[in-house]
Amino acid sequence: SQAQEDIRTNAPTTRARSALRGALGDSAIGPLEEPGLDGLKWLPHLCEAMHSDLSRHSLKAYLYVHLRTAKVGTEGEEAESAFKKVLVPHRFDNVGDIPDRISRWKIQLDNALAERDDQDYSYVVKGIEELVLTWIRYQPPRAGSYQPTPRWIADKKCSVNIQTKKRQDCFRLSVLLSWGSEGGGLYGENMKRLENVEEWLLQGELDFTECEG
């Protein structure tokens, strides 16, 4: 179709490089003729441009959405408006992740549009002006040795930063202690009573299996 032929796939554009340091590439399409949000059906085709990079490493992708909208008043009057937003980025480990991430983006967009309505106006989507997908290599930060809290934060007496002999325990202990202190300090009390830190960690209800060591 004409819309599919109009998808522009590039090495990083000037806009992508200035907006996202380290961008590997981007793909864009628009304006689209489909009414409302029907043009979102082209998202899988935009994502196809990532396949080559995705075969080599995990990616983090950002979706920029520019919609044609109309602001409708309580008495039915309309005024043209625009909606522009960069949706929350998602991690892609392989091509199989694409359908799920697209579904998440659609939900985020629906929620963002719903939040835009107020008592005086509601917004109707007339069509999609542009969709731009930009991606970078996913490089999660990894834990290292204990880092002291910066003085300007420590002076506020509002943070927890526990130091232990085991590198991976510092973050987990800090989270558990902070989390438990809100409900009467269950974990805070355990911290005072238990000498065996490993035993104390096993009593925690939070799942740290996804945390990178």
Side-chain angles (χ1 to χ4, degrees):
S1 70
Q2 184 61 45
Q4 187 169 359
E5 292 174 0
D6 288 342
I7 292 178
R8 304 180 295 281
T9 303
N10 324 282
T13 61
T14 302
R15 175 176 57 186
R17 283 195 297 266
S18 61
L20 193 59
R21 180 178 300 177
L24 295 177
D26 64 64
S27 58
I29 187 172
L32 296 173
E33 297 179 356
E34 289 84 355
L37 294 175
D38 290 351
L40 293 178
K41 68 181 183 181
W42 295 109
L43 281 177
H45 298 285
L46 285 182
C47 291
E48 286 178 3
M50 295 193 299
H51 286 190
S52 177
D53 288 325
L54 197 52
S55 67
R56 294 190 293 271
H57 36 242
S58 296
L59 303 175
K60 178 182 284 187
Y62 298 74
L63 180 63
Y64 166 77
V65 179
H66 179 186
L67 305 179
R68 298 186 301 276
T69 61
K71 185 168 64 174
V72 182
T74 54
E75 298 182 2
E77 69 278 14
E78 287 192 12
E80 290 187 3
S81 65
F83 178 88
K84 302 177 181 180
K85 187 175 182 64
V86 177
L87 300 181
V88 174
H90 287 302
R91 172 182 174 179
F92 293 75
D93 291 318
N94 53 63
V95 174
D97 290 336
I98 291 177
D100 173 72
R101 305 307 188 263
I102 288 177
S103 296
R104 294 187 190 185
W105 272 329
K106 289 180 178 178
I107 293 172
Q108 292 168 16
L109 182 57
D110 287 340
N111 291 339
L113 289 169
E115 291 173 0
R116 199 182 186 202
D117 293 341
D118 55 39
Q119 293 181 349
D120 299 320
Y121 296 97
S122 61
Y123 292 83
V124 177
V125 179
K126 297 293 187 177
I128 297 176
E129 187 67 24
E130 187 178 33
L131 297 172
V132 181
L133 182 71
T134 307
W135 57 92
I136 63 175
R137 182 173 180 176
Y138 179 72
Q139 296 177 305
R142 294 185 174 274
S145 59
Y146 169 82
Q147 296 294 323
T149 304
R151 179 70 179 272
W152 67 274
I153 296 178
D155 288 346
K156 296 179 184 295
K157 309 294 183 183
C158 63
S159 63
V160 176
N161 188 7
I162 297 175
Q163 181 176 8
T164 70
K165 294 181 179 179
K166 293 188 177 181
R167 185 189 67 183
Q168 293 182 350
D169 290 342
C170 299
F171 174 72
R172 289 185 290 176
L173 283 169
S174 297
V175 171
L176 288 169
L177 182 59
S178 300
W179 177 70
S181 62
E182 294 183 4
L186 172 64
Y187 287 102
E189 290 301 315
N190 283 341
M191 187 66 178
K192 295 175 184 177
R193 292 199 306 266
L194 296 181
E195 296 181 356
N196 189 330
V197 174
E198 289 298 327
E199 178 186 348
W200 182 76
L201 279 172
L202 290 173
Q203 294 182 12
E205 300 172 11
L206 300 182
D207 183 5
F208 287 87
T209 56
E210 295 295 326
C211 291
E212 303 261 356

